[in-house]
Amino acid sequence: MAGPAVAQTSPRAGARAFAPGAWVLALAVLAVLVAPLVVSPYYLTKMLPFFAYGVVLLGLNLLVGYTGLLSFGHALFLGVGAYTVSVATTRLEIRSFEVILLLAALTAAIVAAPIGALCVRYVKIYFGMLTLAFGMLFYSFLIKFYAVTGGDQGLRVAQHSLLGLFEARSGERVRFLTGQFYYYAAAVLAILALVMWRIVRSPFGLCLRSIRDNPEKAEYLGVSVRRHRWYAFMLSAVYAGIGGALLGPVTGQVDPTLVYWTHSGNLVFMVLLGGFTSFFGPLLGAFVFIFLQDQIMSVVPYWRLVFGAILAAIVIFAPTGLMGLLSQRPTLPRWAVLRQAPGPEHAN
Amino acid sequence: MLRVEGVRKLYGDFCALEEVSLEIQAGEFVSIIGPNGAGKTTLINVVTGLLKPTSGTVHFKDRDIRGIGPVRLAKLGMARSFQLVTIFPELSVLEAIQVAIVSRLGRGTRLFHALAADREVRDQALEVAELFGLQDKRDARARQLPQGDKKLLDVASAFALRPECILLDEPTSGVSTAEKNTIMQIVVQASKRMGIRSIIQVEHDMDIVFGYSDRIVALHQGKVLADASPAEIQADEQVMSMVVGRPTH
């Protein structure tokens, strides 16, 4: 399974190789910063799920792209984070969103610890099916334990404050979401992306990639495969929990569809769409998914049909996703290549 | 250093190893030879803690290592390379070596430690790459290397663990005849430079076996047929015909 590569060349060579990507990243950051000044609130509200899913996918790609474990039940941890926001704001009356994020991360880690310990004993389809099974178990729990979870109606997300300074006043929810909350969520994504960048370039990240490539060889080099997989699973769940917590205030209501298996499928789709072979691929996947879904839904009601066709095309024609396509050097058309090719007199 | 006593291994009714005993001392280069089905692979798997023997004992540095598994064995100071080339295809040459060094130094769970800034790991990896003649290809992805270099990388990453004892499963299999001696010379030199005390190899190429071994253990149908010096083995017509498949002249 090919996965993200991490350059380990000399710092100078690395800087040269990364320069175009750094420019694109800088432009993207600039666009995010100025968007509230030039973009309509409608599109800004579409950016909020992008920030939330961006965090979730950074974690999911640690598992898929760096460790080689494909989870089909990752929405479980996203749901844990989202429900934590709801429970924290409505029942525990916690207002500080920073405390809520920490709580969501902690709850996701606690839930992930036993599930991960069991799942990482298996690989490939067995791992995928186990994660799917746990996801559906949690879905059933949310549906059936109405008194605790609100059943299929779910729970609402109550008022909260950002940094103890900003709160949504009544009637100003959209302004709050597209203003303070927008920058807050973008900052959380940026910070967690930096943390993940550091993790994948650490000795731990190297061990994960060795496990993805060849677990047997990694074990003979003294790498504890199961332990590393478990840590990756936990980290991935923590990211999903925080992402889910960011998603809660956006929807204002959390319900069991958040953890349904199709939502897990959407997460995998986003990773594949952007490309799990690159660090930023899943972020691009989340962005394209959200805006493409919005555009297609406004045109045809059968958006899943269109997405299915896109997914099939990606798997067949662009297995490295959009990021893989973008990073390819432009190639000359075949006729131009033939014209440039050396003639028989040059051939050996 | 390594002591195998009365090891028996059954697969159902089939007896793969029958009362196998051998001892490897520090400083020895021992080759295990035998025809296909002699039990060489089973013996390696028992010695490297992957398989638990049905009966008998295996001690490494006076510790019972029966079935302890590769991770703990690596920590104890025994490494292994494989018959088929076993690499990390998407990692660079330097990264593949760094995996072993990171693991040996106990840094494999450091989450926020920048690997690129770890001079100790980088310098040690460069040293190993240089010993194995891979320094010019350090940034190349393992899957892009020629077959001979892949084999060297496989062995180099095992050496990077700086084990006391290394087990090489057909270190020259799958490479051209011209490259075999080069690989073996690199292995011997590297083991001296890195302070590896014992080398155990399984090998089919008799020129390599007789050219580099201090001692040869010949297996036949799961039993030790001979355990002697290369000269003694070569002089033993029965062993040569049963194990090597040709009489001496």
Side-chain angles (χ1 to χ4, degrees), chain A residues 3-341:
Chain A
V6 178
Q8 281 295 306
T9 53
S10 69
R12 285 183 62 199
R16 274 201 305 275
F18 189 63
W23 280 108
V24 174
L25 183 64
L27 281 174
V29 171
L30 190 66
V32 167
L33 288 174
V34 299
L37 306 175
V38 291
V39 176
S40 71
Y42 175 77
Y43 286 108
L44 288 179
T45 55
K46 292 290 161 194
M47 285 296 284
L48 299 176
F50 161 68
F51 297 139
Y53 282 119
V55 173
V56 176
L57 297 184
L58 282 171
L60 182 58
N61 203 37
L62 183 72
L63 209 55
V64 179
Y66 289 90
T67 318
L69 293 171
L70 182 56
S71 168
F72 285 117
H74 221 60
L76 185 165
F77 305 109
L78 185 154
V80 167
Y83 271 83
T84 302
V85 179
S86 176
V87 171
T89 54
T90 57
R91 297 187 184 169
L92 305 177
E93 295 187 351
I94 297 171
R95 290 284 174 264
S96 166
F97 203 68
E98 294 75 55
V99 174
I100 292 169
L101 286 180
L102 284 175
L103 209 58
L106 187 68
T107 313
I110 290 169
V111 174
I115 294 174
L118 180 68
C119 290
V120 299
R121 299 171 77 91
Y122 303 88
V123 289
K124 297 180 181 172
I125 191 68
Y126 306 102
F127 174 83
M129 288 298 108
L130 259 181
T131 51
L132 177 68
F134 279 110
M136 291 311 290
L137 271 175
F138 189 58
Y139 173 79
S140 302
F141 167 78
L142 294 177
I143 292 278
K144 299 292 180 191
F145 287 76
Y146 189 90
V148 183
T149 64
D152 59 354
Q153 299 294 308
L155 300 170
R156 72 183 181 88
V157 176
Q159 203 165 11
H160 49 272
S161 73
L162 306 176
L163 304 168
L165 300 171
F166 309 110
E167 272 189 32
R169 295 197 182 96
S170 60
E172 292 189 343
R173 188 167 171 271
V174 173
R175 183 178 288 187
F176 170 74
L177 285 176
T178 57
Q180 293 101 335
F181 192 82
Y182 173 94
Y183 284 114
Y184 188 90
V188 171
L189 172 61
I191 291 166
L192 290 177
L194 282 172
V195 171
M196 186 56 79
W197 181 263
R198 189 88 190 196
I199 289 172
V200 299
R201 274 156 180 74
S202 68
F204 175 73
L206 177 69
C207 288
L208 292 187
R209 288 186 295 130
S210 74
I211 290 166
R212 173 201 67 200
D213 276 15
N214 193 334
E216 191 185 18
K217 170 83 176 170
E219 281 211 309
Y220 273 98
L221 294 183
V223 178
S224 177
V225 170
R226 201 174 284 175
R227 186 151 56 109
H228 277 80
R229 280 180 176 152
W230 187 54
Y231 289 162
F233 192 94
M234 298 267 283
L235 278 168
S236 179
V238 165
Y239 267 67
I242 295 172
L246 285 177
L247 205 57
V250 178
T251 54
Q253 180 85 10
V254 295
D255 64 64
T257 56
L258 277 175
V259 303
Y260 197 56
W261 69 271
T262 52
H263 199 203
S264 291
N266 284 350
L267 298 178
V268 173
F269 186 111
M270 290 180 208
V271 170
L272 289 176
L273 180 66
F276 63 88
T277 57
S278 122
F279 182 83
F280 291 105
L283 296 185
L284 179 66
F287 183 83
V288 173
F289 182 96
I290 289 162
F291 283 91
L292 201 62
Q293 185 187 35
D294 180 61
Q295 293 302 307
I296 295 171
M297 279 173 83
S298 65
V299 180
V300 288
Y302 313 113
W303 66 274
R304 286 186 193 280
L305 188 72
V306 179
F307 268 48
I310 291 172
L311 182 60
I314 286 169
V315 170
I316 296 166
F317 300 111
T320 51
L322 294 173
M323 204 58 123
L325 285 178
L326 291 175
S327 61
Q328 277 176 6
R329 286 182 185 170
T331 50
L332 293 170
R334 187 173 162 75
W335 59 268
V337 174
L338 289 172
R339 187 171 287 180
Q340 284 188 355

Side-chain angles (χ1 to χ4, degrees), chain B residues 60-90:
Chain B
F60 177 59
K61 295 196 294 184
D62 295 326
R63 286 187 63 170
D64 187 353
I65 58 165
R66 282 176 297 176
I68 69 164
V71 176
R72 285 173 63 197
L73 199 69
K75 306 255 183 268
L76 267 178
M78 192 192 284
R80 172 185 182 173
S81 75
F82 294 82
Q83 180 185 352
L84 298 173
V85 167
T86 309
I87 52 166
F88 304 115
E90 298 300 322

Side-chain angles (χ1 to χ4, degrees), chain B residues 80-105:
Chain B
R80 172 185 182 173
S81 75
F82 294 82
Q83 180 185 352
L84 298 173
V85 167
T86 309
I87 52 166
F88 304 115
E90 298 300 322
L91 300 193
S92 72
V93 166
L94 207 59
E95 286 174 331
I97 297 169
Q98 283 177 328
V99 172
I101 296 166
V102 157
S103 159
R104 172 166 52 80
L105 296 174

